[in-house]
Amino acid sequence: MNVGCIPKKLFHIGTQVEEQTHMLADYGWKGADGVTLKHDWSVLRSNIQNHIKGINFSYKAKMQEIGADYINAFASFENSNEVRFTHGAGNTPYTLKAKHFVIAAGNRPRGYPGQPELSEYAVTSDDLFSLEEDPGKTLVVGGGFVAVECAGFLRGLGKEVIMINRSSFLRTMDDDMTFRIIDDMEAHGVQVMTKTVPTGAKKLGDKSFEVELMSNGEKQKVEVNTILLAIGRSCEPDKLGLANAGVVVAPSQRVQGRRDEQERSNIDHIYAIGDACEGAPELMPVAQKSGKQLAHRIYERMKGERSEQEILDAYSTDFSYIPSTVFSPTEYSFAGLNEQEAI
């Protein structure tokens, strides 16, 4: 929520507000002809961050209302029955034992492998949403939802944007729709480069970087103000200490679930929901619903009044046909198999 669906959608709406002004005269609004609009990045960023803080405050207030303890700390497993963390001004160490654990820590952006200087100079989508300075001309590295959406709203807010990827874009979507989305972005001024990877970066000055690219076998250099990495995310199992708890991790670095209960790990009392759960869509509303269903299952098992199959039948989450949307300049929603999978 903090660095995903909500800020991304609000930045996207920011571009739509400007687009709507071009139709004012067609709908009878007078006085806007010849008016030049100028966007203030800091105002939009501040308003979005304040909105997110408000949502967080309401969640904390609700937890206090129902008597749930909230500890703002990063915890990792000591073993399968306890976690450790530090808390307070003196970073006092604590351990906490529980009968059940739910991993709902989300994912963190990956750095670029083998390019430490690129990771040092670059920001991620997590950083972009709270970036205090105007990003200016931006190089977006990546080809998934996050890369395309960020490139789209940055261009819509008037920034120069170069978007590169080592292969194609939006590979989980229909090829035809991907073509239309990327074609529209190019028509609106995004410089799109496929079969392109960064091979080096150096700082030229304050908010100025030179990035060396290998594009279709040829080297070239670009100068930008911001480098944005959007090449995937990981739930960082090592930092969470999942190996200490004996939790099996999928090749995607997410918690591997079970065939009959996707959110349940190989350790009976350790669960994962949201982005940390293998096979679950990376969508905040889905994580919320999945968490509610999981709470019901844990509660029913503790009561011991229903069979395991009855509990699973009543409170499981089916991830098969959940709709999703890419908030690119050309918005696109879909559900089920894409064309390539169906064929």
Side-chain angles (χ1 to χ4, degrees):
M1 181 196 75
N2 295 331
V3 291
C5 301
I6 294 177
K8 172 189 67 181
K9 180 65 183 300
L10 292 175
F11 273 106
H12 175 67
I13 291 174
T15 70
Q16 293 179 317
V17 170
E18 191 275 336
E19 291 171 358
Q20 296 295 326
T21 63
H22 298 299
M23 299 189 294
L24 288 174
D26 294 335
Y27 285 86
W29 293 97
K30 300 184 182 298
D33 296 343
V35 175
T36 301
L37 299 177
K38 184 179 180 180
H39 186 263
D40 189 325
W41 170 270
S42 63
V43 171
L44 179 59
R45 179 199 59 80
S46 296
N47 289 339
I48 289 175
Q49 290 301 310
N50 289 335
H51 178 69
I52 292 170
K53 288 177 183 176
I55 296 174
N56 275 279
F57 179 81
S58 67
Y59 285 161
K60 291 176 185 178
K62 185 63 177 178
M63 285 190 285
Q64 186 176 26
E65 179 185 325
I66 64 176
D69 293 327
Y70 171 71
I71 302 172
N72 187 6
F74 187 94
S76 62
F77 282 94
E78 187 77 22
N79 52 57
S80 63
N81 295 304
E82 61 182 356
V83 295
R84 64 176 181 269
F85 59 92
T86 60
H87 185 60
N91 287 325
T92 306
Y94 293 90
T95 59
L96 182 66
K97 295 183 178 181
K99 292 182 179 179
H100 304 278
F101 293 91
V102 179
I103 302 168
N107 284 345
R108 299 294 181 270
R110 292 192 179 101
Y112 203 90
Q115 297 271 350
E117 71 280 3
L118 190 64
S119 297
E120 178 186 353
Y121 298 143
V123 300
T124 68
S125 59
D126 288 8
D127 306 313
L128 180 65
F129 297 138
S130 58
L131 200 64
E132 292 191 7
E133 295 183 9
D134 190 308
K137 183 178 180 180
T138 303
L139 173 68
V140 179
V141 183
F145 278 50
V146 174
V148 169
E149 290 171 334
C150 289
F153 75 65
L154 285 171
R155 182 63 195 134
L157 295 176
K159 320 304 174 190
E160 288 186 66
V161 178
I162 304 170
M163 183 171 66
I164 68 171
N165 195 37
R166 61 183 178 180
S167 57
S168 58
F169 295 91
L170 301 173
R171 287 177 292 175
T172 61
M173 294 172 48
D174 290 353
D175 287 343
D176 179 57
M177 289 308 305
T178 296
F179 170 79
R180 294 172 186 271
I181 289 170
I182 301 302
D183 184 62
D184 177 65
M185 291 179 70
E186 288 184 295
H188 282 81
V190 176
Q191 183 180 347
V192 177
M193 303 171 67
T194 57
K195 298 180 181 178
T196 304
V197 295
T199 55
K202 67 178 181 180
K203 189 170 184 177
L204 300 177
D206 186 36
K207 291 292 290 180
S208 179
F209 304 93
E210 180 183 83
V211 184
E212 187 177 86
L213 307 175
M214 180 65 72
S215 182
N216 291 291
E218 296 183 1
K219 287 186 177 181
Q220 58 177 285
K221 297 178 180 180
V222 296
E223 291 187 17
V224 295
N225 304 115
T226 301
I227 306 167
L228 172 63
L229 291 182
I231 57 172
R233 302 174 71 87
S234 168
C235 79
E236 300 184 330
D238 292 340
K239 290 184 179 180
L240 292 173
L242 298 187
N244 297 338
V247 173
V248 173
V249 176
S252 65
Q253 299 296 288
R254 302 166 83 183
V255 175
Q256 181 65 60
R258 307 183 184 190
R259 181 175 299 179
D260 60 344
E261 189 174 3
Q262 207 155 330
E263 301 97 333
R264 196 175 197 180
S265 77
N266 59 300
I267 307 300
D268 284 348
H269 60 280
I270 299 180
Y271 304 83
I273 60 172
D275 296 358
C277 176
E278 171 66 12
E282 296 181 2
L283 299 167
M284 184 268 289
V286 176
Q288 286 182 323
K289 181 66 175 179
S290 175
K292 290 178 181 179
Q293 294 290 80
L294 174 57
H296 282 297
R297 294 200 301 275
I298 293 174
Y299 177 68
E300 290 293 337
R301 285 172 179 143
M302 291 174 66
K303 286 201 306 182
E305 297 174 358
R306 305 174 72 172
S307 70
E308 181 67 13
Q309 193 57 54
E310 286 178 323
I311 294 172
L312 290 175
D313 289 343
Y315 299 112
S316 290
T317 304
D318 183 0
F319 296 114
S320 302
Y321 301 109
I322 293 173
S324 185
T325 298
V326 55
F327 288 105
S328 49
T330 297
E331 297 176 1
Y332 177 58
S333 298
F334 59 96
L337 303 176
N338 62 36
E339 183 180 9
Q340 300 85 266
E341 292 170 335
I343 292 174

Short mmCIF file of all heavy atoms in Angstrom, two decimals, residues 215-269:
data_model
loop_
_atom_site.label_atom_id
_atom_site.label_comp_id
_atom_site.label_asym_id
_atom_site.label_seq_id
_atom_site.Cartn_x
_atom_site.Cartn_y
_atom_site.Cartn_z
N SER A 215 22.81 -1.75 -26.65
CA SER A 215 21.52 -1.85 -27.31
C SER A 215 21.67 -2.52 -28.67
O SER A 215 22.34 -1.98 -29.56
CB SER A 215 20.91 -0.45 -27.49
OG SER A 215 19.63 -0.52 -28.09
N ASN A 216 21.08 -3.71 -28.80
CA ASN A 216 21.17 -4.47 -30.05
C ASN A 216 22.63 -4.63 -30.49
O ASN A 216 22.96 -4.51 -31.67
CB ASN A 216 20.36 -3.80 -31.16
CG ASN A 216 18.87 -3.88 -30.91
OD1 ASN A 216 18.27 -4.95 -30.97
ND2 ASN A 216 18.27 -2.74 -30.58
N GLY A 217 23.49 -4.89 -29.52
CA GLY A 217 24.90 -5.15 -29.83
C GLY A 217 25.76 -3.91 -29.98
O GLY A 217 26.96 -4.02 -30.23
N GLU A 218 25.18 -2.73 -29.84
CA GLU A 218 25.94 -1.49 -30.00
C GLU A 218 25.95 -0.69 -28.70
O GLU A 218 24.93 -0.60 -28.01
CB GLU A 218 25.34 -0.64 -31.12
CG GLU A 218 25.41 -1.29 -32.50
CD GLU A 218 24.88 -0.38 -33.59
OE1 GLU A 218 24.49 0.76 -33.26
OE2 GLU A 218 24.85 -0.80 -34.76
N LYS A 219 27.10 -0.09 -28.39
CA LYS A 219 27.22 0.73 -27.20
C LYS A 219 26.76 2.16 -27.46
O LYS A 219 27.01 2.70 -28.53
CB LYS A 219 28.67 0.74 -26.70
CG LYS A 219 29.13 -0.55 -26.05
CD LYS A 219 30.52 -0.39 -25.45
CE LYS A 219 30.95 -1.65 -24.73
NZ LYS A 219 32.30 -1.50 -24.11
N GLN A 220 26.10 2.72 -26.48
CA GLN A 220 25.75 4.14 -26.54
C GLN A 220 25.62 4.68 -25.13
O GLN A 220 25.52 3.91 -24.17
CB GLN A 220 24.46 4.36 -27.32
CG GLN A 220 23.24 3.64 -26.80
CD GLN A 220 22.01 3.99 -27.61
OE1 GLN A 220 21.44 5.07 -27.48
NE2 GLN A 220 21.60 3.07 -28.47
N LYS A 221 25.64 6.00 -25.00
CA LYS A 221 25.56 6.64 -23.70
C LYS A 221 24.40 7.62 -23.65
O LYS A 221 24.10 8.27 -24.65
CB LYS A 221 26.88 7.35 -23.36
CG LYS A 221 28.08 6.42 -23.24
CD LYS A 221 29.36 7.20 -22.96
CE LYS A 221 30.56 6.27 -22.85
NZ LYS A 221 31.81 7.02 -22.58
N VAL A 222 23.77 7.70 -22.47
CA VAL A 222 22.69 8.67 -22.27
C VAL A 222 22.96 9.43 -20.98
O VAL A 222 23.54 8.88 -20.03
CB VAL A 222 21.30 8.00 -22.21
CG1 VAL A 222 20.97 7.34 -23.53
CG2 VAL A 222 21.23 6.98 -21.07
N GLU A 223 22.59 10.69 -20.97
CA GLU A 223 22.69 11.51 -19.76
C GLU A 223 21.30 11.76 -19.21
O GLU A 223 20.40 12.20 -19.95
CB GLU A 223 23.39 12.83 -20.06
CG GLU A 223 24.87 12.69 -20.39
CD GLU A 223 25.56 14.03 -20.52
OE1 GLU A 223 24.98 15.04 -20.05
OE2 GLU A 223 26.67 14.09 -21.10
N VAL A 224 21.12 11.46 -17.93
CA VAL A 224 19.81 11.61 -17.30
C VAL A 224 19.97 12.21 -15.91
O VAL A 224 21.07 12.26 -15.35
CB VAL A 224 19.08 10.25 -17.19
CG1 VAL A 224 18.77 9.69 -18.56
CG2 VAL A 224 19.91 9.25 -16.38
N ASN A 225 18.84 12.65 -15.35
CA ASN A 225 18.84 13.18 -13.98
C ASN A 225 18.52 12.11 -12.95
O ASN A 225 18.93 12.20 -11.80
CB ASN A 225 17.80 14.31 -13.85
CG ASN A 225 18.04 15.42 -14.84
OD1 ASN A 225 17.22 15.67 -15.72
ND2 ASN A 225 19.18 16.10 -14.72
N THR A 226 17.77 11.10 -13.38
CA THR A 226 17.36 10.03 -12.47
C THR A 226 17.44 8.68 -13.17
O THR A 226 17.02 8.57 -14.33
CB THR A 226 15.92 10.25 -11.95
OG1 THR A 226 15.84 11.50 -11.26
CG2 THR A 226 15.49 9.14 -11.00
N ILE A 227 17.95 7.68 -12.48
CA ILE A 227 17.94 6.30 -12.97
C ILE A 227 16.97 5.53 -12.10
O ILE A 227 17.13 5.47 -10.87
CB ILE A 227 19.35 5.66 -12.87
CG1 ILE A 227 20.40 6.51 -13.57
CG2 ILE A 227 19.33 4.25 -13.46
CD1 ILE A 227 21.83 6.11 -13.25
N LEU A 228 15.96 4.95 -12.71
CA LEU A 228 14.94 4.22 -11.97
C LEU A 228 15.04 2.73 -12.30
O LEU A 228 14.86 2.32 -13.45
CB LEU A 228 13.54 4.73 -12.34
CG LEU A 228 12.34 3.94 -11.80
CD1 LEU A 228 12.34 3.98 -10.27
CD2 LEU A 228 11.04 4.49 -12.36
N LEU A 229 15.33 1.91 -11.28
CA LEU A 229 15.39 0.46 -11.46
C LEU A 229 14.04 -0.15 -11.11
O LEU A 229 13.52 0.07 -10.01
CB LEU A 229 16.47 -0.15 -10.56
CG LEU A 229 17.93 0.15 -10.90
CD1 LEU A 229 18.85 -0.58 -9.92
CD2 LEU A 229 18.25 -0.24 -12.33
N ALA A 230 13.49 -0.92 -12.04
CA ALA A 230 12.22 -1.62 -11.82
C ALA A 230 12.33 -2.98 -12.47
O ALA A 230 11.64 -3.31 -13.44
CB ALA A 230 11.05 -0.82 -12.40
N ILE A 231 13.24 -3.81 -11.92
CA ILE A 231 13.55 -5.10 -12.55
C ILE A 231 13.07 -6.29 -11.73
O ILE A 231 13.55 -7.41 -11.90
CB ILE A 231 15.07 -5.22 -12.80
CG1 ILE A 231 15.84 -5.07 -11.49
CG2 ILE A 231 15.53 -4.19 -13.82
CD1 ILE A 231 17.32 -5.37 -11.62
N GLY A 232 12.12 -6.06 -10.85
CA GLY A 232 11.57 -7.14 -10.05
C GLY A 232 11.75 -6.89 -8.57
O GLY A 232 12.46 -5.97 -8.14
N ARG A 233 11.10 -7.73 -7.78
CA ARG A 233 11.10 -7.55 -6.34
C ARG A 233 11.33 -8.90 -5.64
O ARG A 233 11.11 -9.95 -6.23
CB ARG A 233 9.77 -6.93 -5.88
CG ARG A 233 9.47 -5.59 -6.53
CD ARG A 233 8.09 -5.07 -6.16
NE ARG A 233 8.01 -4.63 -4.78
CZ ARG A 233 8.32 -3.40 -4.37
NH1 ARG A 233 8.75 -2.50 -5.24
NH2 ARG A 233 8.21 -3.07 -3.11
N SER A 234 11.76 -8.85 -4.40
CA SER A 234 12.02 -10.05 -3.62
C SER A 234 11.54 -9.83 -2.19
O SER A 234 11.62 -8.71 -1.67
CB SER A 234 13.52 -10.37 -3.62
OG SER A 234 13.84 -11.35 -2.65
N CYS A 235 11.06 -10.89 -1.55
CA CYS A 235 10.66 -10.75 -0.14
C CYS A 235 11.86 -10.90 0.79
O CYS A 235 11.70 -10.89 2.02
CB CYS A 235 9.56 -11.75 0.22
SG CYS A 235 10.12 -13.43 0.52
N GLU A 236 13.06 -11.01 0.21
CA GLU A 236 14.31 -11.06 0.96
C GLU A 236 14.28 -12.12 2.06
O GLU A 236 14.35 -11.82 3.27
CB GLU A 236 14.64 -9.67 1.55
CG GLU A 236 14.80 -8.62 0.46
CD GLU A 236 15.21 -7.25 1.00
OE1 GLU A 236 14.86 -6.93 2.15
OE2 GLU A 236 15.89 -6.51 0.25
N PRO A 237 14.20 -13.38 1.68
CA PRO A 237 14.08 -14.47 2.67
C PRO A 237 15.25 -14.55 3.64
O PRO A 237 15.06 -14.96 4.79
CB PRO A 237 13.97 -15.72 1.79
CG PRO A 237 14.54 -15.33 0.47
CD PRO A 237 14.22 -13.90 0.30
N ASP A 238 16.45 -14.16 3.19
CA ASP A 238 17.61 -14.21 4.09
C ASP A 238 17.45 -13.23 5.24
O ASP A 238 17.74 -13.56 6.39
CB ASP A 238 18.90 -13.92 3.31
CG ASP A 238 19.25 -15.01 2.31
OD1 ASP A 238 18.74 -16.13 2.47
OD2 ASP A 238 20.01 -14.73 1.37
N LYS A 239 16.99 -12.02 4.92
CA LYS A 239 16.81 -11.02 5.98
C LYS A 239 15.70 -11.43 6.95
O LYS A 239 15.74 -11.10 8.12
CB LYS A 239 16.51 -9.66 5.37
CG LYS A 239 17.68 -9.02 4.66
CD LYS A 239 17.33 -7.62 4.17
CE LYS A 239 18.53 -6.96 3.48
NZ LYS A 239 18.21 -5.60 2.99
N LEU A 240 14.69 -12.14 6.43
CA LEU A 240 13.59 -12.60 7.28
C LEU A 240 13.97 -13.83 8.10
O LEU A 240 13.21 -14.24 8.99
CB LEU A 240 12.36 -12.91 6.44
CG LEU A 240 11.67 -11.72 5.77
CD1 LEU A 240 10.57 -12.20 4.83
CD2 LEU A 240 11.09 -10.78 6.82
N GLY A 241 15.12 -14.43 7.80
CA GLY A 241 15.56 -15.61 8.54
C GLY A 241 14.71 -16.84 8.28
O GLY A 241 14.55 -17.69 9.17
N LEU A 242 14.17 -16.96 7.07
CA LEU A 242 13.27 -18.08 6.79
C LEU A 242 13.99 -19.42 6.88
O LEU A 242 13.38 -20.43 7.26
CB LEU A 242 12.65 -17.91 5.40
CG LEU A 242 11.78 -16.66 5.19
CD1 LEU A 242 11.08 -16.70 3.84
CD2 LEU A 242 10.75 -16.52 6.31
N ALA A 243 15.28 -19.45 6.55
CA ALA A 243 16.03 -20.70 6.66
C ALA A 243 16.12 -21.16 8.11
O ALA A 243 16.08 -22.37 8.40
CB ALA A 243 17.43 -20.53 6.07
N ASN A 244 16.22 -20.21 9.05
CA ASN A 244 16.27 -20.57 10.47
C ASN A 244 15.00 -21.27 10.92
O ASN A 244 15.02 -22.09 11.85
CB ASN A 244 16.48 -19.31 11.32
CG ASN A 244 17.81 -18.62 11.05
OD1 ASN A 244 18.74 -19.24 10.55
ND2 ASN A 244 17.89 -17.34 11.37
N ALA A 245 13.89 -20.90 10.28
CA ALA A 245 12.61 -21.50 10.63
C ALA A 245 12.31 -22.76 9.82
O ALA A 245 11.30 -23.42 10.05
CB ALA A 245 11.49 -20.48 10.43
N GLY A 246 13.18 -23.06 8.83
CA GLY A 246 12.96 -24.24 7.99
C GLY A 246 11.92 -24.04 6.92
O GLY A 246 11.42 -25.01 6.34
N VAL A 247 11.59 -22.79 6.61
CA VAL A 247 10.56 -22.49 5.61
C VAL A 247 11.15 -22.64 4.21
O VAL A 247 12.22 -22.09 3.90
CB VAL A 247 10.02 -21.06 5.80
CG1 VAL A 247 9.08 -20.67 4.66
CG2 VAL A 247 9.32 -20.93 7.14
N VAL A 248 10.45 -23.37 3.35
CA VAL A 248 10.89 -23.57 1.97
C VAL A 248 10.57 -22.33 1.14
O VAL A 248 9.46 -21.80 1.20
CB VAL A 248 10.21 -24.82 1.36
CG1 VAL A 248 10.53 -24.94 -0.13
CG2 VAL A 248 10.66 -26.07 2.09
N VAL A 249 11.56 -21.89 0.37
CA VAL A 249 11.42 -20.70 -0.47
C VAL A 249 11.44 -21.11 -1.93
O VAL A 249 12.26 -21.94 -2.34
CB VAL A 249 12.55 -19.70 -0.18
CG1 VAL A 249 12.47 -18.50 -1.12
CG2 VAL A 249 12.50 -19.24 1.28
N ALA A 250 10.53 -20.56 -2.74
CA ALA A 250 10.44 -20.86 -4.17
C ALA A 250 11.58 -20.17 -4.91
O ALA A 250 12.22 -19.25 -4.38
CB ALA A 250 9.09 -20.40 -4.71
N PRO A 251 11.86 -20.57 -6.17
CA PRO A 251 12.89 -19.89 -6.96
C PRO A 251 12.66 -18.40 -7.10
O PRO A 251 13.60 -17.62 -7.29
CB PRO A 251 12.80 -20.60 -8.32
CG PRO A 251 12.29 -21.97 -8.00
CD PRO A 251 11.34 -21.77 -6.86
N SER A 252 11.41 -17.96 -6.98
CA SER A 252 11.08 -16.54 -7.07
C SER A 252 11.47 -15.78 -5.81
O SER A 252 11.27 -14.57 -5.73
CB SER A 252 9.58 -16.37 -7.30
OG SER A 252 8.85 -16.86 -6.18
N GLN A 253 12.00 -16.51 -4.79
CA GLN A 253 12.36 -15.93 -3.49
C GLN A 253 11.14 -15.58 -2.65
O GLN A 253 11.23 -14.81 -1.69
CB GLN A 253 13.26 -14.69 -3.65
CG GLN A 253 14.58 -14.98 -4.34
CD GLN A 253 15.46 -15.92 -3.53
OE1 GLN A 253 16.00 -15.56 -2.51
NE2 GLN A 253 15.58 -17.16 -4.01
N ARG A 254 10.00 -16.17 -2.99
CA ARG A 254 8.79 -16.01 -2.18
C ARG A 254 8.52 -17.31 -1.43
O ARG A 254 9.05 -18.37 -1.78
CB ARG A 254 7.59 -15.64 -3.07
CG ARG A 254 7.82 -14.38 -3.88
CD ARG A 254 6.81 -14.22 -4.98
NE ARG A 254 5.58 -13.62 -4.52
CZ ARG A 254 4.51 -13.42 -5.30
NH1 ARG A 254 4.55 -13.78 -6.58
NH2 ARG A 254 3.43 -12.86 -4.83
N VAL A 255 7.71 -17.25 -0.41
CA VAL A 255 7.43 -18.43 0.41
C VAL A 255 6.63 -19.45 -0.40
O VAL A 255 5.58 -19.12 -0.96
CB VAL A 255 6.67 -18.05 1.69
CG1 VAL A 255 6.28 -19.29 2.49
CG2 VAL A 255 7.50 -17.10 2.54
N GLN A 256 7.11 -20.67 -0.45
CA GLN A 256 6.43 -21.74 -1.18
C GLN A 256 5.28 -22.28 -0.35
O GLN A 256 5.46 -22.70 0.79
CB GLN A 256 7.41 -22.87 -1.50
CG GLN A 256 6.80 -24.02 -2.29
CD GLN A 256 6.37 -23.57 -3.68
OE1 GLN A 256 7.18 -23.13 -4.47
NE2 GLN A 256 5.08 -23.70 -3.97
N GLY A 257 4.08 -22.24 -0.92
CA GLY A 257 2.91 -22.73 -0.22
C GLY A 257 2.58 -24.17 -0.57
O GLY A 257 3.40 -24.90 -1.14
N ARG A 258 1.39 -24.58 -0.22
CA ARG A 258 0.94 -25.95 -0.45
C ARG A 258 -0.10 -25.98 -1.57
O ARG A 258 -0.76 -24.98 -1.84
CB ARG A 258 0.36 -26.55 0.82
CG ARG A 258 1.30 -26.45 2.02
CD ARG A 258 0.72 -27.12 3.24
NE ARG A 258 1.60 -26.93 4.40
CZ ARG A 258 1.45 -27.56 5.56
NH1 ARG A 258 0.42 -28.40 5.73
NH2 ARG A 258 2.29 -27.33 6.55
N ARG A 259 -0.27 -27.14 -2.16
CA ARG A 259 -1.22 -27.26 -3.26
C ARG A 259 -2.64 -26.98 -2.80
O ARG A 259 -3.41 -26.32 -3.49
CB ARG A 259 -1.13 -28.67 -3.86
CG ARG A 259 -2.07 -28.89 -5.04
CD ARG A 259 -1.86 -30.25 -5.67
NE ARG A 259 -0.49 -30.41 -6.18
CZ ARG A 259 -0.05 -31.52 -6.76
NH1 ARG A 259 -0.84 -32.58 -6.87
NH2 ARG A 259 1.19 -31.58 -7.21
N ASP A 260 -3.00 -27.44 -1.61
CA ASP A 260 -4.37 -27.26 -1.13
C ASP A 260 -4.54 -26.00 -0.28
O ASP A 260 -5.67 -25.64 0.08
CB ASP A 260 -4.83 -28.48 -0.32
CG ASP A 260 -3.95 -28.73 0.91
OD1 ASP A 260 -2.84 -28.16 0.96
OD2 ASP A 260 -4.38 -29.48 1.80
N GLU A 261 -3.44 -25.32 0.04
CA GLU A 261 -3.51 -24.09 0.84
C GLU A 261 -2.28 -23.25 0.52
O GLU A 261 -1.23 -23.39 1.12
CB GLU A 261 -3.58 -24.41 2.33
CG GLU A 261 -3.88 -23.20 3.19
CD GLU A 261 -4.08 -23.55 4.65
OE1 GLU A 261 -3.92 -24.74 5.02
OE2 GLU A 261 -4.39 -22.64 5.43
N GLN A 262 -2.45 -22.36 -0.41
CA GLN A 262 -1.31 -21.65 -0.98
C GLN A 262 -0.58 -20.76 0.02
O GLN A 262 0.62 -20.54 -0.09
CB GLN A 262 -1.78 -20.81 -2.18
CG GLN A 262 -0.71 -20.55 -3.21
CD GLN A 262 -1.31 -20.28 -4.58
OE1 GLN A 262 -2.37 -20.77 -4.93
NE2 GLN A 262 -0.62 -19.49 -5.37
N GLU A 263 -1.31 -20.24 0.99
CA GLU A 263 -0.68 -19.32 1.95
C GLU A 263 0.02 -20.05 3.10
O GLU A 263 0.66 -19.40 3.93
CB GLU A 263 -1.72 -18.36 2.55
CG GLU A 263 -2.45 -17.51 1.54
CD GLU A 263 -3.80 -18.11 1.17
OE1 GLU A 263 -3.95 -19.36 1.27
OE2 GLU A 263 -4.69 -17.35 0.80
N ARG A 264 -0.07 -21.38 3.15
CA ARG A 264 0.53 -22.12 4.26
C ARG A 264 1.86 -22.73 3.83
O ARG A 264 1.94 -23.42 2.82
CB ARG A 264 -0.41 -23.23 4.72
CG ARG A 264 -0.08 -23.81 6.09
CD ARG A 264 -1.13 -24.81 6.51
NE ARG A 264 -1.08 -25.09 7.95
CZ ARG A 264 -1.90 -25.93 8.57
NH1 ARG A 264 -2.84 -26.57 7.88
NH2 ARG A 264 -1.79 -26.11 9.88
N SER A 265 2.92 -22.43 4.58
CA SER A 265 4.24 -22.95 4.23
C SER A 265 4.36 -24.42 4.62
O SER A 265 3.41 -25.04 5.12
CB SER A 265 5.33 -22.13 4.95
OG SER A 265 5.41 -22.50 6.32
N ASN A 266 5.54 -24.98 4.41
CA ASN A 266 5.78 -26.37 4.81
C ASN A 266 5.82 -26.53 6.32
O ASN A 266 5.69 -27.65 6.84
CB ASN A 266 7.12 -26.86 4.22
CG ASN A 266 8.30 -26.01 4.69
OD1 ASN A 266 8.34 -24.81 4.46
ND2 ASN A 266 9.27 -26.64 5.36
N ILE A 267 5.95 -25.41 7.04
CA ILE A 267 5.86 -25.42 8.51
C ILE A 267 4.41 -25.09 8.86
O ILE A 267 3.92 -24.01 8.53
CB ILE A 267 6.81 -24.40 9.16
CG1 ILE A 267 8.25 -24.61 8.65
CG2 ILE A 267 6.76 -24.51 10.68
CD1 ILE A 267 8.84 -25.98 8.94
N ASP A 268 3.73 -26.01 9.55
CA ASP A 268 2.28 -25.90 9.74
C ASP A 268 1.80 -24.56 10.27
O ASP A 268 0.75 -24.06 9.85
CB ASP A 268 1.80 -27.01 10.70
CG ASP A 268 1.75 -28.38 10.04
OD1 ASP A 268 1.86 -28.45 8.79
OD2 ASP A 268 1.62 -29.38 10.76
N HIS A 269 2.55 -23.95 11.18
CA HIS A 269 2.06 -22.73 11.84
C HIS A 269 2.66 -21.45 11.26
O HIS A 269 2.50 -20.38 11.84
CB HIS A 269 2.35 -22.80 13.35
CG HIS A 269 3.81 -22.91 13.67
ND1 HIS A 269 4.49 -24.10 13.61
CD2 HIS A 269 4.73 -21.98 14.05
CE1 HIS A 269 5.76 -23.92 13.94
NE2 HIS A 269 5.93 -22.63 14.20
#
